[in-house]
Amino acid sequence: MNFIVDAMLGKLVRWLRMMGHDAKYSTEMDDAELLAVTKNENRVLLTRDLSLYQQAISRGLNAFYIEGTTEAERLAELTQRFDIALEIDLEKSRCPHCNTKLQSASKEEIEQKVEKNTLKYYSVFWRCPNCGSIYWQGAHWKKIRATFEEAKEILKKKKKLS
Ligand SMILES: [Zn+2]
């Protein structure tokens, strides 16, 4: 599923990309441009702006109004609405900075760009062919998993209520 995300959801766009979704984002697009891209590229508009959401819906576009304030709440909403998987498989991930599909990289390819300790403790790396960013399942992965767990708990509660 391809998304376009409004300027208020900069964190969420990084999650979506890491989860393998094509998510367009720019802080420079105004409402008219966001609506045009939603239509022309057949994307789902994710927004925190109720009037933008209403404009999109009244034009028959695919849009979703994000109510949650934490990342976990937002991920839970998206999962409930679009049935997306709450997981990151770096084989399918896109670069959180530029939305380009990541490629796996050997240690030799990235050794100049990461710290020695990182090379010592990790052996599997991915690289963005566009912006050159390098990724691995480092210490921050714990936090990512914790956020997914929190989102799953929120989903469970939502299911009980409905
Ligand atoms: Zn990139």
Side-chain angles (χ1 to χ4, degrees), residues 94-100 102 128-133 135:
R94 288 171 176 264
C95 176
H97 302 298
C98 73
N99 202 32
T100 306
L102 298 183
C128 172
N130 181 50
C131 73
S133 300
Y135 301 94

Side-chain angles (χ1 to χ4, degrees), residues 80 157-162:
Q80 198 177 31
K157 278 181 202 151
K158 282 186 182 208
K159 273 180 195 150
K160 268 186 204 158
L161 290 173
S162 61

